[in-house]
Amino acid sequence: MSENATLVIRGGTILDGSGGDPVDADIAVSNGKIAAIGANLPKGAEEIDARGKLVTPGFVDVHTHYDAQATWSNRITPSSWNGVTTAMIGNCGVGFAPCKPDQRDMLVKLMEGVEDIPEVVLTEGLPWNWETFDDFLDALDARQFDLDIVTQVPHAAVRVYVMGERALRHEPATAADRAAMAKIAAAGIRSGALGFSTSRTISHKTLAGEHTPTLRAEENELVEIARAVGAEGSGWLQVISDFNDQDSEFAMLRRMVQASGRPMTVTILQRDAKPESWRDLMSKIADANADGLKIFGQVLTRPTGIMLGFEISQNPFINRPSWDKIANLTFDEKFAVLRQPDFRKQLISESNPD
C-alpha cells in the first residue's frame, strides 16, 4: 500500500457486513476507495481515531419519504446522522413527480396524510421546478446532499398525472391510461430511477380520509406497468399491501413479477388482527423464489412507530363509527365536540374493527 493514504481510520472495530466476526484494525483509504485493512498501517494525510467505535460500510436506508425534504435541504436528516450513506425515496407510490401545475395540491394532500408532513411545510418548501419525472431527477441532480439519494417512480403521482381527478376517484384506467402510465414508468427507469413503487393499503390516505389513488388499481394496469419496467432490463417493483385476501393478492404479485421479469420487494408487517399472517406471506415468498420469481420481504428493523394526534392522520379513535361524525371538522370544532361528555362516552365505548 502507498504510504500516502488519503485517510486512515485507526483502531476501530470493523464489521464489514459479510456476517463474519468483528475485527479491530486500521482502514486506509486512497482516492475514495479502501486501499488496505490491517494493523499499524502507515500514517495517512488525515487520521480518525476510531478506537472504541464501530466501523461499518455505509447503510442504505431503503424506505424513506424524503421526497420533499430533498428539494429544499442539503441535509437528509435524521438518516445522515445515523450512518446512512444512501437513502431511497419514492416509496409506497407517493412522491411529487411527474406533476402538472394544477395537480400539485393533490400530491401535497396525499403526502401530508401518508407521512404527516404539515401542508404548510410542503406548500412553502417545494420549489416545483419540474413537471416530468426526468425534470425532477434533474432538479435533484443540481443539488448537493450529505448522503446519496436514489429514487423510484411513484405510482400515485403517475396515476394523477395521467388520469387527473379520475385517479382520486379510483376509476379503472382505460387502455390509453395504462399505456401512458407504462410509458412514464419506463422512461423513469431509463432516466435513472431504480424502480417503480405502488401502495395497496388503506393506511395511506389524506387527512380528509381519501385513500391513495393507487389503492384499487386493477391487475391489468399493474401488469402493463410492470411489463414496461421489465422491458427496460433494469429496476424493481416495490409494493405495500394490506393483504386482506392474501392468496389472491400474492397471486397477482407473482403475475406482475412474471410479466416484468424484474425483482419485487414487499413490505412485511405484523397486523394486530392477524398476528400470524406474516408467516404465511413469508412462506409464499419462499415458494415464489423456489419457482424462480425474485420476490423479497422488506422487514423493518424495529417496530413501526406511529405518531397519534387530532391534527394529523392517525389517532386512537380514527376507525370508530362516532369519529366519522367529526372527522372532517376543523381542529377547534373537533375539540368542542370531544369536550361533550356524552360524545366522549360513546366514542370510548366503541371498538376498532378488525
Side-chain angles (χ1 to χ4, degrees), residues 116 203 205 207 306-310 312-316 318-319:
D116 284 323
S203 297
K205 53 191 173 184
L207 291 187
I306 298 177
M307 296 183 67
L308 302 177
F310 293 121
I312 54 180
S313 64
Q314 301 287 322
N315 70 70
I318 196 168
N319 292 317

Side-chain angles (χ1 to χ4, degrees), residues 184-246:
I184 291 170
I189 298 296
R190 286 197 302 274
S191 295
L194 298 190
F196 172 85
S197 69
T198 191
S199 169
R200 301 174 61 76
T201 173
I202 61 172
S203 297
H204 290 160
K205 53 191 173 184
T206 68
L207 291 187
E210 299 162 340
H211 293 296
T212 181
T214 63
L215 178 65
R216 299 185 183 92
E218 295 180 346
E219 180 173 343
N220 57 2
E221 175 182 335
L222 294 168
V223 168
E224 187 161 345
I225 294 171
R227 187 176 290 114
V229 169
E232 296 302 316
S234 65
W236 57 72
L237 309 169
Q238 185 262 329
V239 179
I240 180 168
S241 171
D242 289 326
F243 287 106
N244 287 324
D245 185 346
Q246 196 147 283

